[in-house]
Amino acid sequence: MAVSNCIFCKIAVGEIPTEAVHASEDFLAFRDIVPQAPVHVVVIPRIHRDTIMDVEDPQLFAGLLAFVQETAVKLGVDAEGFRSVINCRANGGQTISHLHVHLLGGRFLNWPPG
Ligand code: 5GP
Ligand code: ZN
């Protein structure tokens, strides 16, 4: 169910028009508004969960990561590689409280992150 003040729920139901790079019944991938790499996509479950810690059904993770895999292929970053990041709560730097995976690629990404 959509959470009324959640920006990603609004994107998921089309209330905020956003061009999808990959979409399914349960998941959606769209370009980050402040890209940190040539390819920077946000992947969300359409269902609202605040954080990775608020998921009860592990099947959601299976579906989400399979969808990330498909998205990477669709964007052509699978062969050269990419990074998937899930920020969680304050210390993780999470700014939008709707579970999402950042898919970053198109350049070499340094490690460790800041
Ligand atoms: P977080 O910091 O929570 O891990 O990531 C949230 C991401 O969502 C940020 O990278 C931010 O740039 C992106 N973002 C925030 N608002 C919007 C929006 O309205 N549209 C899109 N496409 N991305 C957004
Ligand atoms: Zn939401």
Side-chain angles (χ1 to χ4, degrees), residues 2-3 6-10 46-49 97-98:
V3 169
C6 173
I7 229 170
F8 286 177
C9 279
K10 288 182 179 163
R46 291 186 189 271
I47 191 171
H48 182 95
R49 293 290 180 267
S97 291
H98 180 127

Side-chain angles (χ1 to χ4, degrees), residues 12-87:
V13 299
E15 205 177 313
I16 298 175
T18 306
E19 195 185 332
V21 299
H22 189 36
S24 73
E25 193 182 326
D26 296 326
F27 303 100
L28 183 66
F30 53 89
R31 298 206 184 266
D32 196 291
I33 207 169
V34 187
Q36 303 300 324
V39 173
H40 185 178
V41 161
V42 177
V43 179
I44 61 168
R46 291 186 189 271
I47 191 171
H48 182 95
R49 293 290 180 267
D50 281 355
T51 78
I52 188 175
M53 299 311 297
D54 300 297
V55 172
E56 310 86 14
D57 181 359
Q59 283 305 315
L60 180 65
F61 292 132
L64 184 60
L65 282 188
F67 190 80
V68 168
Q69 199 182 47
E70 288 173 16
T71 306
V73 170
K74 203 162 176 180
L75 292 169
V77 294
D78 54 314
E80 291 195 313
F82 60 93
R83 185 169 294 163
S84 308
V85 176
I86 301 177
N87 296 326

